[in-house]
Amino acid sequence: MTANLTDSQTTRLACEDLDAADPLASFRGRFDLPPGVIYLDGNSLGALPKATAARIQHVVIQEWGVGLIRSWNDAGWFDKPRALGERIAPLIGAGPGEVVIGDSTSVSLFQVAVAAARLRPGRRVIVSERDNFPTDLYMLESVQELLGDASGALERRLIHDDGPSLDEVLDEDVAVVVLTHVNYRTGRMYDMAEVTRKVHEAGALMVWDLCHSVGAVPVDLNGAGADFAIGCTYKYLNGGPGSPSFIWVAERHQSSARPPLTGWHGHARPFEFGVEYAPAAGMTRFRIGTPQLLSLAGLEASLDLWDEVDLAQVRAKSLQLTDLFIALVDSRLAPWGVEIVTPREHAVRGSQVALRVADGYPIMQALIERGVIGDFRGPDLIRFGFTPLYVSHADVWDAVEILEDILATESWRAERFSRRGAVT
Ligand SMILES: *Cc1c(COP(=O)(O)O)cnc(C)c1O
C-alpha cells in the first residue's frame, strides 16, 4: 500500500509540475468555477468567465435601462453581430468581413446549407455523416425537402466509418457535403484540408460544422479552401447558455450566396422598410432578425479573454491533458473493461476523450456527485471535455483517481444514480 501511495504521490506531483510550467495557467483565475468541482464538460457548456456577469449587467442596466432605444446606435447594438464576428475570425482562420453572428447553430446550419446547395443547381445529393450531431441531420432533411422538385426531395447520402466512405459517395450529383470537424461523441477530428480538397474535386461545396473545434483546436478555414462554416459559441468559447452561433462564408461566395431565411436585418436597406427583400452585401445577408443582445454581451466578455489566448498553446496543452487522461485510464481502469473510443493519434483527436463502459449512465452520475462533471452519451459512452483555459493536469489526475474509486467500490450501483433527468 505504501509503495502504491508513494507512486501515486509522485505522479500527482509530476502533474503539479506540469501545471507550474503551464503558460495558460493564469487563465483559470479568470473563471468562476465552484469550489470542489473538476469541470470536464466545457465541450457542452463552457464555464463562466468572471467578467461576464458585470458585462451583462451593464447592458441591462445602462444600455437598456438608461440608453433605451438609443442604444441601437449609441451602444453599437445594430452592428454587434458583425463586430463580434470579426473577433471570432482569427480563431478559425477567417479573414475580415467573413464572419457574422447568427441565431442558434441549427438555424445557421440551415442558412448556409441551403445557400451552398443553391450554388450547385442541378446537383441532387447532400452528403453528411451517420454519426453527425443529430440536429445537423434533422436540419438537412428540411434542406432536402425545400430544394427538391417535382421528382422529389434531394437525396441524402450518409458516410460512416464502416462504409460507405466519402470517396464512395462523391460523384457529379453531389451538391454539398456537410461534416462536423470534431465528432461530438468520439472526439475524432477530420483533416479539413484533405476532405475539402476531395469534395472540391467532385465539384461540390464543403460546409464545416465547428461546434467542437472553435476554441479547442486551431482551425484554418481559408487555408483549407473551405466554402461555408458554422459553429457554437457556448461550448469551448464560453459565451454562456444559449449564446448564438457564428457563420463563416468564404469571400468568393458572398455576393452570389442566397440564404433561405431573408429577414430585415439581412436587408440592404432595412430602415427604408420597403416591401421587397434585397440582400445586403457581404455577410450581413446571413443575418435574419433582431440579435439576442443579452447573450451577445456574454459572448463579448468571453471574446475579451480569447483575444489574449495563443491557440498553439491551447492545442499543446489540450494534447497534454488528453494524453495524460488516456495514459491514466490505460494504466488504472483496464480491470473494469473501460475502453478508450477517442483516437490516440494526435492528428485526428479533438479536445475530448470518450470512454466506452457498461453502466456509463450511473457511473457518470456518481462522478458528478463527487464533483467530477462530464456527461453521458448513450448507449454506453462517458465523455470528458478538456478545456485548456481552466482545466489543469492535477484535475485530470484527480478525476481518474475518483473514477477508479467509483469503479472499484461499485458506489455507482446506488439507486439514486440510475434516475434520469430530461438532459443527460
Ligand atoms: C452542440 C452542437 C449543435 C447545437 O446546435 P444548437 O442549435 O445550438 O442547439 C449542433 N451541431 C453540433 C455538431 C453540435 O456539437
Side-chain angles (χ1 to χ4, degrees), residues 8-255:
S8 57
Q9 295 291 38
T10 307
T11 313
R12 195 180 193 285
L13 279 179
C15 291
E16 289 169 16
D17 285 345
L18 287 170
D19 290 333
D22 171 13
L24 296 173
S26 68
F27 282 101
R28 186 181 175 105
R30 312 267 297 271
F31 289 89
D32 253 332
L33 283 161
V37 162
I38 298 176
Y39 193 57
L40 303 180
D41 216 355
N43 52 330
S44 268
L45 176 64
L48 169 65
K50 280 184 177 157
T52 299
R55 179 68 60 90
I56 293 176
Q57 193 177 30
H58 174 80
V59 173
V60 171
I61 293 182
Q62 199 61 37
E63 296 184 4
W64 177 14
V66 179
L68 292 165
I69 194 84
R70 294 169 288 191
S71 286
W72 280 104
N73 288 317
D74 297 350
W77 283 357
F78 196 75
D79 187 48
K80 204 57 86 176
R82 185 204 62 79
L84 295 190
E86 297 293 355
R87 295 177 64 189
I88 289 176
L91 301 173
I92 55 175
E98 287 188 327
V99 183
V100 73
I101 300 297
D103 294 79
S104 72
T105 305
S106 304
V107 171
S108 293
L109 180 76
F110 184 76
Q111 273 295 66
V112 303
V114 171
R118 280 175 169 168
L119 292 174
R120 288 293 179 271
R123 292 183 170 229
R124 298 195 43 84
V125 175
I126 291 188
V127 169
S128 191
E129 178 173 29
R130 186 167 297 282
D131 289 337
N132 204 342
F133 192 88
T135 202
D136 295 38
L137 298 177
Y138 303 158
M139 296 309 289
L140 289 177
E141 284 187 35
S142 274
V143 177
Q144 293 163 245
E145 200 171 309
L146 179 75
L147 298 181
D149 57 22
S151 65
L154 298 190
E155 183 194 334
R156 172 169 89 170
R157 294 182 190 158
L158 296 181
I159 63 172
H160 191 269
D161 287 348
D162 302 331
S165 68
L166 184 61
D167 293 318
E168 287 165 334
V169 300
L170 281 176
D171 60 26
E172 65 284 354
D173 290 330
V174 176
V176 181
V177 177
V178 181
L179 293 174
T180 299
H181 181 223
V182 175
N183 185 274
Y184 78 107
R185 298 176 89 240
T186 63
R188 197 260 336 263
M189 180 166 71
Y190 279 113
D191 180 337
M192 183 176 278
E194 175 61 11
V195 170
T196 303
R197 189 190 59 73
K198 279 186 188 171
V199 169
H200 285 173
E201 227 169 64
L205 293 174
M206 185 68 217
V207 177
W208 286 107
D209 183 328
L210 302 178
C211 281
H212 289 275
S213 311
V214 63
V217 297
V219 173
D220 189 2
L221 287 165
N222 276 322
D227 299 292
F228 294 80
I230 45 103
C232 279
T233 62
Y234 55 77
K235 292 173 178 167
Y236 291 89
L237 290 191
N238 313 308
S243 67
S245 64
F246 62 85
I247 302 174
W248 170 83
V249 179
E251 216 238 312
R252 63 185 178 279
H253 294 310
Q254 288 176 13
S255 59

